[in-house]
Structures are given as structure tokens and as C-alpha cells.
Amino acid sequence: MPELPEVEVTRRSFADRIAGARIVSAAMGKPLRWPLGMAAEALAGRQVLAVRRRGKYLLLDLSEGLLLIHLGMSGSLRFAGPDEPALGEAGKHDHFDLQTTRGLLRLHDPRRFGAVVYVPSQQDALARKLLDHLGMEPLESSFTFEAFREGLAASRTPIKQLLLSGSVVVGVGNIYASEVLFIAGIAPTMPAREVRPRKLRALHEAIRVVLAQAVEQGGTTLRDFSAANGMEGHFQLQAKVYGRDGLPCTQCGSPIQLLRQGQRSTFYCARCQKA
């Protein structure tokens, strides 16, 4: 599943190229997770002002209204400008085409858990339902240690599962949660409120550093993720615990362990990650 770094990499790969473009046409393929909320052809004539991100949602600000795009489990965007090779006819897994004066933006989503939703503004009830519950953005200055500590203070939820929930901080998906907990030396099963202050500060810093590094390295490509320009990510090449069960820990040499938490795989070092 594309996580925050992958979504941010996707945004950066086409945001500047589509900004200022006028929509020529729009077309929906098979139904996605939620309906578009309007006739696709009614988008024609509007201008794409900017592309923002909130959590794992891409927000396309239009001259009238807003498009929210979520990549779901297997979705990816492609953008081809007028001087680039054409994307060709939409295939069976291509479910949204936005043709603009600066190029074609296409959503490819084999499992169709993604979504493209139109709302009149970010204050619309649907937009607020999707966005208002999201936690702090880890790459922004508002993600302070004090706010992070306060968000964890009363929770008995295991720290890894709380990170995955996105209620305190967004974007720490399964891969990155295993990595930051290893760096901070925190057991993934530790109740959030019991994490000691020193390790909590280390976790806060690890989240900022790891997610920033993942963005700079193009995200993580385990199966088929690539940005809107077709480039794959490379963060997986430096993973210290994720996907390394049975292999020696890079710090102590003990075998990396695998456990299931909420149907998700957790990778950790039992020796390095203690209470």
C-alpha cells in the first residue's frame, strides 16, 4: 500500500507540471471505492491551481472545487506531458483520466480500493469526514515533541498499532513503523503511554528523519509502486528490520523476529527493542 512517503513522492513528481493547466476532459472507468460525486465531463474547463497532500490523500485545488485522490492498496498515478511518450488508451485497470492542457493524469488501480472524489471545498462534509480526523503531519513544523508526547500519553494501545492508526501522526505505515521503532529501541507491543521519555524523544526524531529519507529516496517499491514519472523508490534497500525476519540484526546480530499485530506483520529485534 502506498504510504505517506510514496504519496508525497507522487505529488512532487507531477504537481509543478500540472499546476496552471486547464482541464480538457475527464473520464471515469470502473467504479472505485467511492463515487466521484459529479459527472466527470463537468470538470472540463476548470483550472488545476495546485496539488497538495493531507495524510495519504492528494488534493487537487481547482478553480472551482477540489479533487481528493487516494491510491488505496495498489493504486498509482501517471502523468505524461505533451513532450513525453503518450500513455495510450486506458487499460482495464485504468479508472480515471484527467486530460489537461499540460498533459494526461491517469489513475491505475488493479484492486480498485483507491478513490477520486469531487467536493465543492475542503469544508464540505465529505471532505471533513475524510480529513479532519487525521493526525499531525510528520514533515511539518507543527509535529513537535510536546504534541507527540501528549497524543500518546493516555493510550494503552500498543505503540506500533497506535502509529498505524494515524490518529496522532499520519504516514507512519507498516514498513516505516517497524523501522522507527527499531531505531528508537522500543518494543512494538509496548503500550504507548508506557514508553519512557528518552525513547519517546528518540521515536519522535526517528519518525521525522526516516520519513524524510524515504521521500528523498523516492519511497519504497516492494511490488509495483512508482511515481507519476515512472521512477521507482529505493528506501527498501536500507531497511534495517522490515522483511528481514530470520536475518541477523544489524546492531547485535540476533535474528530479526516476526509477529502479527492486527493482521499486519511486525519486524523487530527482541534484544535491541526492550521496555
Side-chain angles (χ1 to χ4, degrees):
M1 174 189 295
E3 299 293 350
L4 183 149
E6 291 76 53
V7 178
E8 177 62 16
V9 166
T10 297
R11 187 193 70 81
R12 295 184 184 187
S13 68
F14 79 96
D16 289 344
R17 294 191 288 160
I18 201 173
R22 190 163 298 280
I23 298 172
V24 176
S25 63
M28 294 292 300
K30 294 180 180 179
L32 294 171
R33 189 174 184 181
W34 303 302
L36 177 61
M38 68 178 301
E41 56 268 23
L43 290 169
R46 305 185 192 200
Q47 189 176 22
V48 180
L49 303 179
V51 183
R52 298 179 288 130
R53 180 189 54 76
R54 180 69 176 104
K56 293 191 290 184
Y57 289 90
L58 289 171
L59 282 61
L60 274 65
D61 291 306
L62 306 179
S63 53
E64 181 183 347
L66 178 71
L67 283 177
L68 286 76
I69 300 178
H70 195 287
L71 300 181
M73 296 289 292
S74 59
S76 61
L77 290 173
R78 291 289 182 273
F79 183 79
D83 298 326
E84 299 173 298
L87 296 180
E89 294 295 321
K92 67 176 183 178
H93 297 311
D94 299 324
H95 304 300
F96 179 69
D97 273 8
L98 192 72
Q99 182 66 60
T100 77
T101 53
R102 293 193 176 181
L104 173 64
L105 181 68
R106 171 173 289 168
L107 174 64
H108 178 83
D109 187 1
R111 298 177 69 179
R112 286 195 286 142
F113 287 135
V116 182
V117 177
Y118 173 82
V119 291
S121 76
Q122 200 166 327
Q123 299 308 310
D124 179 81
L126 178 56
R128 298 194 64 175
K129 179 180 178 181
L130 297 176
L131 304 176
D132 281 4
H133 70 282
L134 298 176
M136 294 176 285
E137 289 285 344
L139 302 180
E140 295 183 359
S141 59
S142 58
F143 181 53
T144 64
F145 173 70
E146 290 73 18
F148 182 57
R149 178 178 59 189
E150 182 178 344
L152 303 183
S155 179
R156 294 187 176 92
T157 303
I159 184 63
K160 191 206 175 205
Q161 289 172 281
L162 186 58
L163 291 176
L164 291 182
S165 74
S167 60
V168 177
V169 55
V170 296
V172 190
N174 201 44
I175 296 171
Y176 303 108
S178 288
E179 292 296 301
V180 298
L181 289 170
F182 173 74
I183 292 170
I186 299 170
T189 54
M190 170 78 69
R193 71 178 188 176
E194 296 180 17
V195 178
R196 297 173 182 175
R198 178 178 58 83
K199 289 194 173 183
L200 192 60
R201 190 172 290 276
L203 177 59
H204 174 262
E205 181 63 17
I207 290 172
R208 295 176 63 91
V209 170
V210 167
L211 294 185
Q213 287 177 344
V215 171
E216 291 304 314
Q217 294 178 21
T220 298
T221 298
L222 295 180
R223 293 182 181 177
D224 54 5
F225 169 74
S226 58
N229 55 10
M231 298 296 292
E232 294 186 348
H234 301 287
F235 180 81
Q236 68 277 6
L237 301 178
Q238 71 173 45
K240 299 180 183 298
V241 290
Y242 188 85
R244 300 190 67 250
D245 51 307
L247 297 176
C249 172
T250 56
Q251 291 186 170
C252 73
S254 299
I256 297 299
Q257 304 293 313
L258 169 65
L259 65 84
R260 297 285 181 180
Q261 289 181 284
Q263 300 183 336
R264 305 299 297 276
S265 297
T266 295
F267 301 86
Y268 72 105
C269 175
R271 178 176 293 180
C272 294
Q273 295 173 252
K274 297 181 180 179

